[in-house]
Amino acid sequence: MSTTRLTLRRAATVTALTAASVLVAAGAAAAHVTVHPESYAKGATDGLLTFRVPNEEDTAATTKVQVYLPTDHPVLGVLVTPHDGWTAKVTTTKLKTPVKTDDGTITEAASEITWTGGKIGAGQFEDFDVAFGQLPEDTDQLTFKTLQTYSDGKVVRWIEQAQSGDDEPENPAPTLKLTAAGDQAAASSAPAATTGTKATATAADSGDSTARGLGVAGLVVGVLGLAAAAFAVVRTRGARS
């Protein structure tokens, strides 16, 4: 085998392996439990939150989802949308500090929503819709710690919170940013898939910005690999002449 051909083959192998690892990382980054939209205005009323739950396992189905709502900054007037095959249970808790609203003083609020009875298979996700009456005005974000239980007994705890300047944790909790009232940036698009239905979960469908960035990085790596191979060919031919 000629030196030129061997150089090209090695360069192609390195490029393929690097690009593959980048795409695998992109898929992993897209598999978190997330809340949509990503932001709302503080004190927003009569809105909708969608919790997207992907299945990360190849041999087990997701059979239970538990979303914990903060009670120090409560979400008021919580209602759940029915999902075929799933039963939702909303648990309420007495608030340490009652919330005054135009309709009166609220002393209890939802603290947990549990969905059971259904299944999310391998390569699928489920969107769980939650309507709210009012979001809090005294915080910049809401963290919804979530537990995902699989049919084999495994429980994934989506409860970690990213610290300023740190990389994203392995199991981040779904987080909703709250912006200044009237801020147009708070209006985010709804999830790409139809809510309340099952669909094939891919990195492209997830809308995860990290996954998209990694995908672009993979393409850049491929281009650089080909360029390196071409340079090696030119150098080899120059050495022979």
Side-chain angles (χ1 to χ4, degrees):
M1 181 180 294
S2 68
T3 302
T4 299
R5 188 171 297 175
L6 179 60
T7 300
L8 286 172
R9 176 171 292 184
R10 287 177 176 174
T13 300
V14 171
T15 300
L17 290 175
T18 304
S21 64
V22 169
L23 291 176
V24 168
H32 302 332
V33 174
T34 52
V35 60
H36 303 271
E38 296 180 352
S39 64
Y40 253 114
K42 294 181 179 180
T45 58
D46 300 325
L48 183 72
L49 297 175
T50 299
F51 293 91
R52 175 162 292 179
V53 183
N55 191 323
E56 294 184 310
E57 299 294 319
D58 294 329
T59 58
T62 295
T63 57
K64 184 178 181 180
V65 177
Q66 298 164 268
V67 175
Y68 294 87
L69 287 73
T71 54
D72 52 346
H73 303 288
V75 178
L76 305 180
V78 168
L79 296 172
V80 295
T81 300
H83 291 271
D84 290 341
W86 293 89
T87 299
K89 177 184 178 182
V90 179
T91 301
T92 59
T93 298
K94 187 173 182 178
L95 300 175
K96 292 182 179 180
T97 304
V99 179
K100 294 182 179 180
T101 70
D102 295 338
D103 298 324
T105 300
I106 306 299
T107 59
E108 292 186 347
S111 58
E112 178 185 348
I113 305 174
T114 301
W115 287 274
T116 56
K119 289 185 177 181
I120 306 174
Q124 296 180 331
F125 67 84
E126 188 89 29
D127 281 342
F128 297 94
D129 295 336
V130 177
F132 63 82
Q134 183 175 336
L135 296 178
E137 300 177 348
D138 56 352
T139 185
D140 294 329
Q141 68 177 29
L142 295 175
T143 300
F144 302 96
K145 295 182 179 181
T146 302
L147 301 185
Q148 181 179 11
T149 302
Y150 286 91
S151 55
D152 60 2
K154 178 180 178 180
V155 178
V156 180
R157 300 168 62 83
W158 302 98
I159 62 173
E160 299 175 359
Q161 294 180 254
Q163 301 298 322
S164 179
D166 293 344
D167 293 335
E168 185 179 57
E170 182 177 356
N171 295 313
T175 300
L176 177 71
K177 296 179 181 179
L178 297 181
T179 63
D183 188 347
Q184 295 300 318
S188 302
S189 58
T194 301
T195 57
T197 60
K198 295 181 179 179
T200 301
T202 65
D205 292 332
S206 72
D208 187 275
S209 59
T210 302
R212 290 197 299 269
L214 289 172
V216 173
L219 294 177
V220 173
V221 169
V223 172
L224 291 177
L226 293 176
F231 176 76
V233 171
V234 174
R235 186 176 62 179
T236 301
R237 290 178 176 175
R240 289 180 176 177
S241 60

